[in-house]
Amino acid sequence: MENEFDVIVLGTGLSESITAAALAKTGLKVAHIDPNVYYGADEATLTLDELVQWADAHTTSDLTQEHSQSIQYCVEYRSPDILPHSKQYSISLSPSIIPSVGPFISSLISSGVARYGSFKLLGPVSVYHHGQFKGVPQNKDSIFRDRTIPLIEKRRLMRFLIFASGEFENSSDLQGKESVPFDQFLCQSFSLGEDIARVITFALAYCDFYGETTLAALRRVRSCLRSTGRYGSSPFLVGYYGGSGEISQGFCRAAAVNGSVYILGRKISNIAVDELSSPGSHDQGTVPRYTVEIDGIPGPLRSSCLLSSPSHVPDCLRFQAGPASSDANAPSTSRHQVPAVARCIAIVDGSVILPHLNGSDDAPLGEGESDSFLVVFPPGSLNHGSMTSSVHVLTAGAGTMSAPSDKSMIFCTSINVYLYLSHFCGTGILYLSMPLHECGRSSKDLLHPYLTAILAGSAPLFQVFYTQNFPPAYDSSFLGVRPHFYVLPVLHPDIPQSVDHAAQHAESAFWYIMKALNPNFITEGVKGIWVNNDLADANNTDDWDW
């Protein structure tokens, strides 16, 4: 195997995989390495037996601070028995939905990776309120058909939605109120009632807590509104075979088609810096700056540029790596980062029917919709539930090839609760998640009331409860940063926006690397990262592939 590369990428998470695919498409020689035997890293999709192995490797007693800048998992409970047909499950460690408009869907289409996967519309979104599941209107028609909203409230709501779908940043309605709590802004500026404001806050802006600032919440609302109608009634898509992990593998496949070399399941034994390389040089025959040694691979891999996820940076180099995304490039919809998320994954058997919404007797799936749908529990909405955090429940089943045709899966999380409920008879997965300001109670204590409420007393066949602990924000103020060595930010969970954040992180990393390898590279006027030409011709925008 040839050991000389332009870029070495460590980790196959979603951000790393998008970056590797974009770099490979420019003609750069890329080596992509992951010590895991699977693609996706923290966004991986696992079979049930792989999930059990993963859970057993992350028990409380095994939790360490070996990598202080990486995500740490603490599994507090898993069912002792493994279900039959375990390899027929596709279970996501980071469940997410895909906005129909945004940087991620643009990357999927422009890169050609969309053809490697399959997608369906997300089913209905509902919110739990006063002991009932109520549908969340997604467009003007559904608002005026909803008999539970008074006419005057509908007019106020429409005024807000028209405002939120436009360019509101310089609006007089917003000036001086960018940092006020979003629910307060809705009630004071648009005279919306508390119930409607709660639905908008937690099931349209997808806030995790009360008190989140107005500007970031409005931008998330705008993203949702502009995504509605592109592919159908829902603003979101869901991917087959577990979602993010399968999509990460698709980007890796695209990189491999363009010549990237992949090494999985081998431990990274050493990363060294060769001081003989001159910074910025990229001439044939110069000594590579970075050397990566891998167990079982003869000879080290060498490159003049290194990109890594935080979990693969050795302690000796941790404060010598530059961030691959600056504060100026931070996603405009991002929220306050939480230190941890409580999560649950549950598999259920039999018929799990979508809750009746707004008093209707039936909730048929629309054309193109999957059996995945989203349930939001606002803070304080459930007895014995959290008074401070929202919980999202996302369902997945056989309709997206996530479970056998007789099972459903449920995922619960303490930051966001992802619940996969199936609208069919069979097996399905429920994902539950809840954001945490501070750690204390176990994920099982936090999420079990929500699992009980969604299953109406029936018992799941299999369940895993765990806490996902996030490192502090990467400090970019340190001195001694080595050139051409970049670390991508940790991808924090955000069910409607995490994939867009991954795409934005990847685009930022792409431009850092292109500029590092070619200091004369000009980014002005370039409209995207998906090029179809060699690095030497990268500034010829006539050849860009849209």
Side-chain angles (χ1 to χ4, degrees):
M1 182 182 73
E2 188 175 355
N3 288 29
E4 305 288 341
F5 297 92
D6 294 304
V7 185
I8 295 176
V9 180
L10 305 181
T12 57
L14 191 55
S15 300
E16 294 85 17
S17 299
I18 296 173
T19 309
L23 292 170
K25 197 166 186 180
T26 68
L28 292 176
K29 294 171 62 177
V30 178
H32 203 169
I33 304 164
D34 197 324
N36 296 307
V37 297
Y38 48 79
Y39 294 91
D42 293 310
E43 295 88 53
T45 296
L46 306 177
T47 62
L48 181 56
D49 51 353
E50 289 174 335
L51 177 66
V52 169
Q53 294 175 16
W54 176 89
D56 291 345
H58 293 85
T59 59
T60 304
S61 59
D62 294 330
L63 184 62
T64 68
Q65 296 299 320
E66 179 183 359
H67 299 298
S68 60
Q69 289 295 326
S70 63
I71 295 175
Q72 298 282 311
Y73 296 93
C74 177
V75 177
E76 291 141 356
Y77 174 81
R78 80 159 176 88
S79 298
D81 298 326
I82 302 178
L83 302 178
H85 313 295
S86 61
K87 294 188 181 300
Q88 296 183 28
Y89 293 89
S90 297
I91 303 172
S92 177
L93 293 179
S94 182
S96 60
I97 52 182
I98 303 170
S100 297
V101 173
F104 183 73
I105 197 74
S106 296
S107 284
L108 271 178
I109 296 170
S110 299
S111 64
V113 171
R115 67 175 178 267
Y116 294 141
S118 298
F119 306 88
K120 281 189 175 181
L121 288 173
L122 177 72
V125 176
S126 60
V127 63
Y128 190 79
H129 181 62
H130 294 321
Q132 295 182 325
F133 295 98
K134 296 183 178 294
V136 178
Q138 299 292 325
N139 51 50
K140 178 179 177 180
D141 290 342
S142 61
I143 290 172
F144 282 100
R145 285 200 308 266
D146 193 325
R147 297 189 298 271
T148 66
I149 305 177
L151 180 59
I152 190 171
E153 195 85 346
K154 290 180 179 179
R155 291 173 176 169
R156 293 170 179 169
L157 178 57
M158 285 303 304
R159 176 175 171 263
F160 166 74
L161 295 178
I162 292 171
F163 165 81
S165 63
E167 302 299 330
F168 47 71
E169 279 81 359
N170 296 319
S171 169
S172 59
D173 289 324
L174 181 61
Q175 295 304 306
K177 304 174 184 177
E178 294 88 346
S179 298
V180 305
F182 184 50
D183 54 307
Q184 178 181 320
F185 171 79
L186 293 172
C187 295
Q188 294 180 354
S189 297
F190 289 89
S191 302
L192 291 170
E194 290 186 3
D195 288 349
I196 291 293
R198 184 183 300 109
V199 171
I200 294 172
T201 300
F202 294 102
L204 197 59
Y206 293 97
C207 294
D208 291 330
F209 311 100
Y210 281 113
E212 293 194 26
T213 59
T214 292
L215 182 58
L218 278 174
R219 286 171 172 165
R220 294 196 297 272
V221 172
R222 180 169 61 192
S223 173
C224 184
L225 294 175
R226 291 183 175 182
S227 295
T228 301
R230 181 176 186 182
Y231 296 115
S233 58
S234 174
F236 300 108
L237 301 172
V238 290
Y240 279 37
Y241 299 105
S244 296
E246 183 71 11
I247 296 171
S248 294
Q249 187 169 347
F251 278 102
C252 291
R253 183 183 302 175
V257 168
N258 286 294
S260 293
V261 172
Y262 277 82
I263 302 174
L264 270 64
R266 300 293 182 94
K267 180 182 177 181
I268 300 171
S269 56
N270 187 44
I271 300 176
V273 183
D274 188 342
E275 300 293 353
L276 295 179
S277 285
S278 56
S281 68
H282 191 58
D283 299 326
Q284 189 68 24
T286 57
V287 179
R289 178 166 292 275
Y290 297 100
T291 299
V292 179
E293 298 177 8
I294 304 170
D295 286 357
I297 300 297
L301 308 185
R302 297 184 176 90
S303 74
S304 53
C305 193
L306 184 64
L307 175 69
S308 179
S309 70
S311 59
H312 299 303
V313 180
D315 290 339
C316 62
L317 296 176
R318 187 164 304 282
F319 296 106
Q320 300 179 36
S325 182
S326 67
D327 292 340
N329 295 324
S332 62
T333 57
S334 61
R335 63 187 83 223
H336 174 72
Q337 295 181 350
V338 294
V341 176
R343 293 189 180 274
C344 170
I345 300 172
I347 299 177
V348 296
D349 195 4
S351 180
V352 182
I353 304 298
L354 183 69
H356 292 168
L357 304 178
N358 296 350
S360 64
D361 295 327
D362 193 14
L365 294 177
E367 183 179 357
E369 288 181 359
S370 69
D371 49 21
S372 295
F373 60 88
L374 181 64
V375 178
V376 179
F377 289 84
S381 61
L382 184 68
N383 289 336
H384 309 295
S386 173
M387 298 300 294
T388 59
S389 300
S390 65
V391 171
H392 299 107
V393 179
L394 181 63
T395 69
T400 53
M401 310 301 288
S402 297
S405 58
D406 61 343
K407 298 290 186 293
S408 296
M409 292 180 278
I410 302 175
F411 296 83
C412 304
T413 312
S414 184
I415 286 188
N416 289 322
V417 175
Y418 303 100
L419 178 58
Y420 282 116
L421 296 177
S422 57
H423 192 218
F424 55 88
C425 294
T427 306
I429 309 172
L430 304 179
Y431 297 93
L432 294 81
S433 68
M434 178 193 295
L436 304 174
H437 277 310
E438 58 184 23
C439 301
R441 297 173 62 192
S442 72
S443 57
K444 186 174 183 181
D445 290 342
L446 290 166
L447 294 174
H448 191 267
Y450 298 95
L451 186 60
T452 301
I454 209 78
L455 293 180
S458 61
L461 296 176
F462 180 89
Q463 51 190 334
V464 175
F465 291 90
Y466 60 99
T467 301
Q468 188 178 18
N469 300 281
F470 294 91
Y474 205 89
D475 185 4
S476 59
S477 63
F478 44 74
L479 300 177
V481 172
R482 293 187 178 275
H484 306 181
F485 183 13
Y486 305 103
V487 176
L488 281 158
V490 168
L491 189 61
H492 282 256
D494 185 337
I495 187 168
Q497 296 289 332
S498 62
V499 294
D500 276 349
H501 294 171
Q504 289 170 299
H505 294 327
E507 182 168 356
S508 178
F510 173 87
W511 294 124
Y512 270 101
I513 293 171
M514 294 292 283
K515 190 70 174 179
L517 294 178
N518 183 358
N520 296 320
F521 186 77
I522 300 173
T523 61
E524 184 178 354
V526 177
K527 299 179 181 179
I529 66 175
W530 298 104
V531 298
N532 191 25
N533 50 291
D534 294 333
L535 179 61
D537 299 322
N539 281 15
N540 183 358
T541 56
D542 293 337
D543 292 333
W544 286 71
D545 180 21
W546 307 110

